[in-house]
């Protein structure tokens, strides 16, 4: 297995994306990289429910968030993750000056992106956590 995949081994990742095909691609790539995708949500409400459930069951190491979920801003999810100390990145079709809801420090992947960039970006935010372990 390539070295880059070991960084995500057993890391718990949440995907928040409203497009089913994109969700499947993200799930496949992150799973192939060794991550455990603990859930995928299509709405803010679903995402917040998953975060609450997973916080009580081992926590999260990172999340991948689409900025716009069928017209609904993902900001409440980003706010909750930030409050819990869970690193996240945005994966969006918006341009470089997109509204990250006050989370300008979060990395942004602009769609379409190569799957290698996704894995590298998630590795970067996971390894950036202070103790190298995920937050809960």
């Amino acid at each position: 297995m390539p070295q880059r995949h070991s960084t995500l081994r057993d890391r718990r990742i949440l995907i928040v994306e409203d497009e089913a095909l994109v969700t499947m691609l993200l799930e496949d790539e992150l799973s192939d990289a060794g991550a455990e995708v603990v859930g995928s949500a299509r709405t803010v409400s679903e995402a917040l429910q998953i975060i609450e459930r997973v916080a009580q069951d081992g926590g999260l190491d990172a999340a991948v968030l689409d900025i716009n979920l069928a017209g609904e801003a993902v900001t409440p999810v980003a706010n909750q993750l930030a409050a819990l100390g869970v690193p996240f990145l945005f994966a969006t079709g918006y341009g470089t000056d997109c509204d990250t809801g006050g989370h300008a420090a979060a990395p942004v992947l602009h769609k379409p992106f190569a799957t290698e960039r996704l894995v590298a970006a998630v590795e970067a935010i996971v390894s950036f956590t202070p103790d190298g372990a995920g937050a809960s």
Side-chain angles (χ1 to χ4, degrees):
M1 181 177 290
Q3 178 64 26
R4 72 179 183 95
H5 296 295
S6 65
T7 304
L8 294 182
R9 180 167 284 305
D10 300 323
R11 297 299 187 134
R12 296 166 54 94
I13 311 294
L14 170 66
I15 297 170
V16 182
E17 168 65 56
D18 61 342
E19 296 291 333
L21 290 176
V22 175
T23 298
M24 289 188 298
L25 174 69
L26 296 173
E27 287 174 344
D28 288 348
E29 288 303 317
L30 293 170
S31 294
D32 287 350
E36 175 189 351
V37 177
V38 296
S40 59
R42 297 182 66 160
T43 67
V44 167
S45 176
E46 288 175 0
L48 293 173
Q49 289 173 5
I50 292 171
I51 292 167
E52 183 178 331
R53 175 182 50 84
V54 173
Q56 299 172 13
D57 182 30
L60 283 172
D61 291 299
V64 177
L65 310 178
D66 187 2
I67 287 178
N68 182 334
L69 304 171
E72 184 178 22
V74 77
T75 305
V77 177
N79 293 343
Q80 182 65 21
L81 292 169
L84 293 171
V86 176
F88 57 90
L89 63 84
F90 295 107
T92 182
Y94 289 121
T96 56
D97 292 330
C98 58
D99 180 6
T100 59
H103 297 281
V108 178
L109 280 177
H110 297 281
K111 297 175 186 174
F113 49 80
T115 55
E116 296 82 16
R117 287 188 58 222
L118 167 71
V119 172
V122 173
E123 285 176 335
I125 64 172
V126 167
S127 63
F128 185 72
T129 54
D131 63 1
S136 50

